Amino acid sequence: MIDGLMKDVIDPLWERMAQPLVRAGLTPNQVTAAGLALILLASGAYLLHQSAWVFGLTLAVAFAFDALDGAVARQRGMMTKLGGYFDAMVDRYQELVVLGAIAWVSGHWALALLGFSGAMLTSYAKARTAIEVPVDNAAWPDLFERLERVIYLCVMLVLVGVTGADWLLASGLALYAALCHFTALQRMRRAAALLAAVDADKP
């Protein structure tokens, strides 16, 4: 939702931050792969140090770097369908790694699974609709999209680390899961309306 509603504000920031990567000659896919590597390193380190606030801050840096692949693609004129697909798949693996690390350290496996499943259903709801009818990617400004999920996880981890309250982590994961599934249902509702309209137009 934030990315869709504030695109004119956010995109110029990504463009400026991506300029050093463009000057370094990095390709969009290299930036995407590097972002995944940073997420893996931050998550692996969390398994060792188990400091939630450190994990939250390192994730914020890693996710910010990962978000620059689109800006690099635009500036280098290297926007491709394969690149978009690669980025989307890597994003899903990043969420799996992060929630898996949180579950491993905290023991909240069920809540992490609920959150991950909701995030995946949110993505699938739009992707599956696009198989049936043309979908405008910018016309789905739903409540808890990936940018919101990333910000939420980083802030949650920092707050848990600062307060030392395990109940806050459990409550935070439960709310995360609820928001993910609410957004999946929100997209399903929109998809149903789109598809019903197409069916109604058929002779």
Side-chain angles (χ1 to χ4, degrees), residues 102 106 134:
I102 292 174
S106 68

Side-chain angles (χ1 to χ4, degrees), residues 1 11-12 24 28 35 57-58 63 90 96 104 112 125 130 136 138 164 167 183 195:
M1 183 172 67
D11 279 357
L57 292 178
T58 53
F63 276 126
V90 167
L96 174 61
W104 185 279
D136 181 1
W167 68 266
T183 305
L195 298 173

